[in-house]
Structure formats: C-alpha cells, structure tokens
C-alpha cells in the first residue's frame, strides 16, 4: 500500500499540530517540502531541484545506490539485537580500525552522535575517577541532558553552567583572543586550557576530560591552529584527564587530506574519538572508539553496557557500504579538489565584496564569515540571514553558524562537484552585487564598506 501524501500546506498544518514546535524547520517562514533526493540534489513536491550544501549526514550522496542496496539486502536477510554474534559488526570495526591510530582499537557502536558523546563522557569519568570536564566556548556536543551540560551553545540559553563544567576559549584566530598575527596561536590557546586546569585545581577539583570538536562547527567552521590539540592534550593528561575528540561532524574524509580531521594536528592522537552523522549516510549509526586501557576501566566497573540497536547487522552493512563508496569514488580526493576550488572562489568573492570578512576551512568543510566592517569585524548577522533566504530562491540550500550566526557554512555531500561550487559562488556574488543586491537594499551606516 502506498503511503498517504498531502499538499504542502496540509503537511505544514499537520506538522504544526502534531510535532513539537521546538523541532524547527529550515526556512520556517516558507519551508521546502522535499519528497526525494539523489546525490547532492533535493527535489520538492513539484520536482523542483535544490542544490544541497548542508547535508553532511548524507555523506556519500543522498540515496546512493550502493548504500540503499546494502541496506535492503541485509534487511531482507537479518536485522537483530546487537547482542547476538554476527560478522558485520566485527567486519565494520576492522575496517574502521584501519583508518585510525593503532592505540584506538576498542569500539562501541551506538545510534547517534549524542549517544556517542554521552558514552564518551561516561568512559572518561570512569577511567579517571574524576568528574570535571573542560569544553570549548560555543561548543555543541548533542541533545542529551548530559551533553547540554557540556555544550555552552545550549546551556547558556537554559539552566546555565554546572559547577563541574569549565569553559576554555574557542581557538578562533579570526575573532578570538589570539588572532592570525600571533606568532604561535596554537600554543597560546592551549595555554588557556592550562589556565582552566589550574583554576579547577585551586578549587580542589580534578579534570576528567577535555572535550573538543576536531573542527568546531557550531562555533563557526573553525580550523584549530596547528599544535593546539597536541599541547592541550599534554596539559590535560598531566592533570590526570583524557582528551575526547568529537568527529561527529567532520569525520570520514570530509577534510580531504585525512580520513579524520584530528589527523590534521601534527603528532597528536586522542584518547577517545566519537563519530556519527556521516557514518550511515542518513541511517542512525554512530560510534565511540578508545584505548584498551580506558575500555578496561569501563568494563571493570561491573556494570554491563549494551545497546540494543547499536551495531546491528543492517547498520553495519550500511557502514561498510559507505566506506566502500568513499574509497571507490575517491571522495576524499574530490573533497580536496572541489573544496580548494570553492575556497578559492569564495576568497575571490572577498576581494570584490568588503562584506566578506573571512573565508576559512578545508576540504568540504568551509565557512564564509560576513562582517559589516572589516577592521572592527562586526558580525553581519542580518546580511547572512538574507543571503540564506535569497539562495533558497535560487534553489540552493545553505545555513548559518557561529556565535553571531554570521558564518555561511558549506558541508555538502561529498559528491559535490566543481560546477556546483561555481554555481553557488556565482549566485552569492549576484546577491551581493548591483542595485538589487543586499548591500544596496540595507542602506544602513554600518554597511558603508559594502562594494556595490
């Protein structure tokens, strides 16, 4: 029996009635109703095509045939509780281990990045027998209560900061404490972590972990300065803690040059890595990987850990198919080539439009920061929002991030191509240019530096 379908207005009305209103839609004033997708493209109910620049979940492309076929074949054969013995989970763990440093060799499969980060928190606290956690400012690690508590992006809007949570500055060399002109921003920002540790110790408390995204995303598509994680890990481990790297947004070759974004930091290996969004190409699949020593301490607590659906045969079959596609289609190479071209085009856009304050990123993880004044680096939040809405009219889907929501982010499916990159930049240029452009439209004093 075919599923029932509704007109767009009916679907929207039903959603508003039946679905919690805190579950917000993209383009809430005029949502796009997507009924199918393929590769990097989305199609609405009228078969109008949209270019998807933000679905980092659909890592190898929407509805990739190899992934959907693997899912269907395994679903027809078996899908059961992960506590039954099955080949897929060990085959998948073996494949993942080949991408990681040797000491990261014990895997726990779960269903979401939030579950992964919650488990990582438990692992760190059990291993160290300490409670306190250091996180970076503006960080977001998931929607579970434990993770809201360690996500400044969320807890500052809710109950506030817990006494066992400590916030270190975001290592943002564009608008942070130490900027691009600093001789060694990586070490300078790592020293701020040491300052936090010293403050924690002065209060008679102990650190269990530093949680850090390899490339802070909600913080504004930040590229960590070289040496930061290596030195921060040294300070945290000296204090008896561990370093947890969150790769939920950035893993599986998105940066192009490496399979994991933390590998961009020289001479660095984390103690725990969490991964999620891209693993299942839209299927709920996530993971925590750690060392034998940390895993052993978790086992020694005497409490069994199990996850009913984590690592089930269908999930692992999908995960294996995703790894195959990344390799067979050279998606890391594509991320390197297309990402470099997109970054170059965005940089040239900045030479033309003063409202472009910064272009940063690597591979297919890029950010375009808009400012009303380059010298003061005043966030152009309203302009960024307008660009997003205008691009929607051009059938291009993007969104914003950063503490001021003025960073247009690009995290498209990894099959994003050169023509897609050129189309996006062409449309942004058009939106910012001429008498019908945004700069002309706003006509407010702070926007005096716009070139129109």
């Amino acid at each position: 029996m075919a599923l029932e379908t509704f007109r767009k207005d009916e679907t929207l009305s039903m959603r508003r009635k039946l679905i919690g209103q805190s579950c917000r839609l993209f383009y809430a004033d005029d949502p796009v109703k997507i009924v199918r997708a393929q590769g990097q493209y989305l199609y609405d109910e009228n078969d109008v095509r949209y270019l998807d620049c933000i679905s980092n979940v659909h890592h190898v492309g929407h509805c990739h045939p190899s992934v959907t076929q693997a899912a269907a074949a395994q679903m027809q054969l078996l899908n059961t509780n992960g506590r039954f013995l099955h080949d897929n989970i060990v085959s998948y763990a073996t494949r993942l281990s080949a991408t990681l440093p040797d000491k990261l060799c014990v895997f726990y499969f779960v269903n979401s990045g939030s579950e992964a980060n919650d488990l990582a928190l438990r692992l760190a606290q059990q291993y160290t027998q300490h409670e306190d956690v250091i996180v970076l400012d503006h960080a977001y690690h998931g929607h579970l209560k434990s993770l809201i508590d360690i996500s400044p992006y969320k807890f500052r809007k809710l109950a506030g900061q817990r006494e066992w949570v400590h916030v270190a500055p975001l290592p943002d060399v564009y608008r942070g404490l130490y900027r691009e002109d600093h001789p060694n921003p990586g070490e300078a920002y790592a020293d701020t972590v040491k300052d936090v540790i010293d403050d924690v110790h002065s209060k008679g408390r102990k650190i269990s972990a530093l949680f850090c995204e390899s490339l802070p995303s909600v913080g504004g598509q930040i590229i960590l300065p070289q040496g930061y994680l290596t030195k921060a890990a040294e300070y945290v481990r000296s204090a008896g803690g561990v370093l947890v790297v969150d790769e939920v947004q950035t893993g599986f070759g998105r940066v192009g040059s490496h399979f994991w974004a933390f590998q961009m930091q020289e001479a660095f290996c984390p103690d725990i890595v969490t991964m999620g969004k891209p693993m299942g190409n839209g299927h709920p699949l996530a993971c925590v990987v750690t060392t034998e020593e940390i895993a052993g301490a978790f086992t020694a607590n005497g409490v069994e850990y199990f996850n009913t659906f984590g690592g089930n045969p269908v999930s692992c079959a999908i995960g294996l198919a995703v790894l195959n596609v990344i390799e067979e289609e050279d998606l890391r190479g594509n991320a390197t080539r297309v990402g470099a071209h997109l970054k170059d085009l965005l940089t040239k856009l900045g030479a033309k439009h003063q409202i472009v304050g910064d272009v940063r990123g690597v591979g297919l993880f890029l950010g375009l920061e808009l400012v009303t004044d380059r010298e003061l680096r005043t966030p152009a939040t309203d302009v960024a929002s307008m660009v997003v809405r205008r691009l929607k009219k051009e059938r291009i889907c993007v969104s914003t991030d950063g503490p001021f929501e003025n960073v247009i982010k690009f995290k498209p499916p990894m099959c994003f191509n050169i023509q897609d990159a050129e189309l996006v930049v062409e449309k942004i240029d058009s939106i910012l240019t001429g008498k019908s452009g945004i700069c002309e439209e706003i006509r407010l004093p702070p926007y005096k530096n716009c070139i129109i």
Side-chain angles (χ1 to χ4, degrees):
M1 181 182 294
L3 294 175
E4 189 173 5
T5 59
F6 307 96
R7 298 192 316 270
K8 177 180 174 179
D9 62 317
E10 293 175 329
T11 305
L12 182 57
S13 177
M14 293 170 69
R15 181 180 172 108
R16 286 172 174 166
K17 180 180 179 181
L18 297 168
I19 307 300
Q21 289 303 294
S22 56
C23 302
R24 297 177 182 173
L25 290 163
F26 287 129
Y27 315 110
D29 294 338
D30 183 24
V32 180
K33 182 177 180 179
I34 299 301
V35 299
R36 67 182 182 92
Q38 190 69 50
Q40 64 272 47
Y41 304 112
L42 306 165
Y43 297 84
D44 70 11
E45 74 280 12
N46 298 312
D47 211 37
V48 174
R49 191 181 81 173
Y50 290 77
L51 176 60
D52 184 357
C53 297
I54 52 178
S55 287
N56 62 323
V57 175
H58 304 91
H59 192 62
V60 301
H62 293 273
C63 303
H64 194 289
S66 295
V67 177
T68 58
Q69 288 164 15
Q74 184 59 55
M75 182 68 79
Q76 289 177 329
L77 184 64
L78 171 73
N79 194 31
T80 189
N81 194 307
R83 299 173 80 184
F84 285 105
L85 187 63
H86 195 272
D87 289 341
N88 285 8
I89 190 170
V90 293
S91 294
Y92 188 39
T94 300
R95 287 285 299 277
L96 280 179
S97 68
T99 71
L100 290 158
D102 290 343
K103 80 170 191 175
L104 295 172
C105 59
V106 181
F107 296 82
Y108 298 86
F109 290 102
V110 295
N111 304 292
S112 70
S114 289
E115 269 195 308
N117 280 329
D118 177 76
L119 179 55
L121 180 61
R122 290 178 59 191
L123 287 166
Q125 291 175 334
Q126 175 65 32
Y127 174 69
T128 63
Q129 292 296 294
H130 303 155
E131 180 183 26
D132 290 35
V133 174
I134 301 173
V135 294
L136 300 187
D137 207 359
H138 309 297
Y140 174 63
H141 293 291
H143 61 76
L144 300 181
K145 186 178 184 300
S146 62
L147 304 177
I148 297 296
D149 286 345
I150 64 168
S151 298
Y153 170 70
K154 289 290 187 179
F155 71 58
R156 288 207 170 105
K157 302 173 185 177
L158 296 168
Q161 189 170 336
R162 306 294 185 186
E163 64 175 353
W164 54 273
V165 177
H166 312 277
V167 179
L170 179 68
D172 178 357
V173 298
Y174 178 68
R175 61 169 64 253
L177 286 174
Y178 307 106
R179 299 189 173 182
E180 64 275 7
D181 57 351
H182 191 281
N184 192 342
E187 184 170 327
Y189 276 113
D191 286 344
T192 67
V193 174
K194 185 178 186 301
D195 292 341
V196 172
I197 293 171
D198 291 343
D199 182 61
V200 170
H201 287 175
S202 73
K203 298 173 182 176
R205 305 182 70 93
K206 299 287 187 180
I207 294 295
S208 69
L210 166 63
F211 263 73
C212 181
E213 295 169 89
S214 299
L215 302 175
S217 181
V218 171
Q221 305 294 93
I222 303 299
I223 304 299
L224 298 178
Q226 193 58 240
Y228 172 74
L229 286 179
T230 306
K231 196 67 177 177
E234 177 185 322
Y235 292 141
V236 170
R237 289 166 181 158
S238 294
V242 298
L243 201 148
V244 181
V245 162
D246 181 337
E247 287 270 353
V248 171
Q249 299 257 20
T250 56
F252 293 83
R254 176 158 293 279
V255 300
S257 58
H258 299 82
F259 202 88
W260 305 102
F262 75 78
Q263 293 169 327
M264 294 170 59
Q265 294 273 313
E266 295 176 1
F268 170 72
C269 178
D271 302 295
I272 302 173
V273 175
T274 62
M275 52 190 83
K277 291 181 187 296
M279 288 184 76
N281 211 54
H283 182 86
L285 175 60
C287 183
V288 180
V289 60
T290 189
T291 66
E292 290 181 343
E293 187 178 10
I294 293 172
F298 191 59
T299 302
N301 71 7
V303 178
E304 178 189 13
Y305 176 80
F306 67 90
N307 189 304
T308 302
F309 298 110
N312 70 73
V314 170
S315 294
C316 290
I318 290 170
L320 285 163
V322 169
L323 293 180
N324 289 340
V325 174
I326 292 171
E327 182 177 341
E328 292 166 3
E329 299 185 6
D330 187 28
L331 293 183
R332 280 179 55 193
N334 187 67
T336 298
R337 292 185 294 272
V338 177
H341 186 58
L342 176 56
K343 187 176 181 181
D344 180 61
L345 292 174
L346 292 171
T347 300
K348 290 176 179 175
L349 198 66
K352 182 176 181 182
H353 299 283
Q354 289 289 320
I355 203 162
V356 175
D358 191 38
V359 176
R360 55 181 174 264
V362 61
L364 288 175
F365 179 94
L366 298 172
L368 177 70
E369 179 150 1
L370 302 185
V371 296
T372 60
D373 187 301
R374 281 187 174 177
E375 184 176 346
L376 298 177
R377 306 189 180 188
T378 311
T381 303
D382 291 343
V383 177
S385 177
M386 292 174 72
V387 170
V388 168
R389 293 197 300 271
R390 293 281 185 89
L391 284 172
K392 179 205 169 194
K393 293 181 180 180
E394 299 290 347
R395 310 294 185 250
I396 297 171
C397 295
V398 299
S399 61
T400 58
D401 248 332
F404 304 101
E405 291 291 339
N406 67 314
V407 180
I408 298 174
K409 61 181 179 181
F410 299 92
K411 291 184 290 187
M414 294 276 280
C415 51
F416 199 77
N417 63 40
I418 293 289
Q419 292 73 32
D420 298 326
E422 292 175 348
L423 175 65
V424 170
V425 177
E426 174 191 330
K427 294 300 182 182
I428 294 175
D429 184 26
S430 177
I431 287 167
L432 295 176
T433 302
K435 292 186 177 180
S436 60
I438 282 177
C439 297
E440 175 73 14
E441 179 179 310
I442 293 175
R443 288 187 174 280
L444 293 174
Y447 298 87
K448 63 183 183 300
N449 285 342
C450 271
I451 295 175
I452 58 174

